Amino acid sequence: MEERIEDVTTLLFESSFMTLATADRDGVPWVSPVEFACDEDLRFYWSSVIDARHSQNVRVNPRAALSIYDHTYIALDGQPIALYGEGSVEEFHRSDLEALLPSIGRWVEWRDTGRKTPRPGRGDQSDEGSPWRIYRLNPEKLYALHPD
């Protein structure tokens, strides 16, 4: 069991993107790749512009799902590792970020340590007048795909 948890943790730390699945008011689905961060409580964060389709969707239907997949997996060569989840989404403004930044900062610092060119953060752009917001998916269920 510990090996499975370690493998999924490694998957989270080595992945840059998750697939976010949202639906509009009428239930029409939409998927988007988003760069993510994760906190100690396995809540998933991303930043997006407010007029992106997935941002509009979570405003009218705050339910979403995620998928993080082992991008190094070669088809038919063993079995992949993946994490799936579903839950509710919250939108944050600049005034809300102070409490979130320590967890997001630890995540980005750890993950970017191995990158040649760390990506700039967008947290400082997420205020009331900016088109950028931070979103958090609070999973109610998480599922792991693991060879064991």
Side-chain angles (χ1 to χ4, degrees), residues 5-91:
I5 292 171
E6 184 176 320
D7 287 346
V8 171
T9 302
T10 299
L11 172 69
L12 289 174
F13 286 144
E14 291 180 354
S15 299
S16 295
F17 291 91
M18 70 178 183
T19 302
L20 177 71
T22 62
D24 67 13
R25 183 182 328 268
D26 298 322
V28 176
W30 186 254
V31 294
S32 304
V34 294
E35 189 171 15
F36 76 96
C38 180
D39 68 17
E40 296 88 353
D41 295 319
L42 291 176
R43 296 177 298 187
F44 297 84
Y45 300 83
W46 69 94
S47 65
S48 291
V49 293
I50 57 176
D51 62 350
R53 188 166 173 181
H54 56 273
S55 299
Q56 293 175 27
N57 285 353
V58 298
R59 232 173 259 112
V60 298
N61 180 359
R63 303 286 305 160
L66 67 87
S67 173
I68 302 168
Y69 192 81
D70 179 4
H71 67 281
T72 65
Y73 171 70
I74 299 170
L76 305 175
D77 184 23
Q79 292 187 0
I81 297 172
L83 183 71
Y84 307 98
E86 59 183 273
S88 61
V89 176
E90 297 176 84
E91 179 179 312

Side-chain angles (χ1 to χ4, degrees), residues 96-145:
D96 303 313
L97 292 179
E98 189 172 322
L100 302 176
L101 288 178
S103 289
I104 295 172
R106 283 191 297 275
W107 172 268
V108 171
E109 181 180 330
W110 191 95
R111 191 182 66 194
D112 283 353
T113 299
R115 289 187 174 173
K116 293 179 182 171
T117 309
R119 296 182 60 110
R122 293 191 178 110
D124 60 337
Q125 297 176 340
S126 296
D127 64 343
E128 300 295 332
S130 170
W132 289 94
R133 296 290 186 271
I134 300 290
Y135 297 87
R136 177 173 72 195
L137 191 148
N138 304 299
E140 295 159 10
K141 295 180 182 178
L142 289 171
Y143 309 89
L145 172 63

